[in-house]
Amino acid sequence: MDNEKSHDELELKEDMLQKKLEHILQMEKQIKEKEKRIRDKEKAKKQVPLRLSASLWEDLAAWAEEDFRSVNGQIEYLLAECVKKRKKENK
């Protein structure tokens, strides 16, 4: 009788643990989906038409080449640095 009781208790505990594991796996899946949506959103880029003088373009192109970036990458980098600096100054 005791063996049956302990066996039943073990089965109940096993079922309970299995349900908890399934719940954890489901939560993990949801977290991964949210992380992916956040990464995708961060990767999304907006296109902005930009008119520059020829001399400014040439200066940016030379600077970008020195930094091994495209002109677009250099402009994005410079803008990001300016935004970071502004945020620090406003704190």
Side-chain angles (χ1 to χ4, degrees):
M1 185 73 170
D2 284 338
N3 280 342
E4 284 181 34
K5 184 179 177 183
S6 63
H7 180 70
D8 290 343
E9 287 175 359
L10 285 174
E11 282 184 352
L12 285 174
K13 285 182 181 181
E14 185 178 354
D15 287 344
M16 189 174 71
L17 287 172
Q18 185 63 35
K19 286 179 184 178
K20 285 183 179 183
L21 177 60
E22 288 170 7
H23 180 71
I24 290 169
L25 292 173
Q26 183 181 6
M27 288 174 48
E28 183 180 33
K29 183 180 176 184
Q30 290 172 347
I31 290 169
K32 285 181 181 181
E33 288 172 358
K34 284 181 183 179
E35 287 174 342
K36 184 184 183 312
R37 284 194 301 271
I38 291 169
R39 280 193 309 272
D40 290 347
K41 188 176 181 180
E42 288 175 352
K43 287 180 186 178
K45 299 212 177 201
K46 302 288 183 185
Q47 293 184 3
V48 179
L50 179 63
R51 291 180 180 86
L52 302 173
S53 68
S55 61
L56 179 56
W57 175 266
E58 289 169 10
D59 289 342
L60 283 169
W63 192 1
E65 191 173 321
E66 289 173 14
D67 291 351
F68 302 103
R69 291 189 183 98
S70 66
V71 174
N72 189 72
Q74 188 72 6
I75 292 169
E76 186 175 4
Y77 169 77
L78 293 170
L79 287 171
E81 289 299 306
C82 287
V83 169
K84 279 188 218 173
K85 182 179 177 185
R86 185 167 191 267
K87 284 182 179 179
K88 280 183 183 179
E89 290 172 356
N90 288 338
K91 284 188 177 181

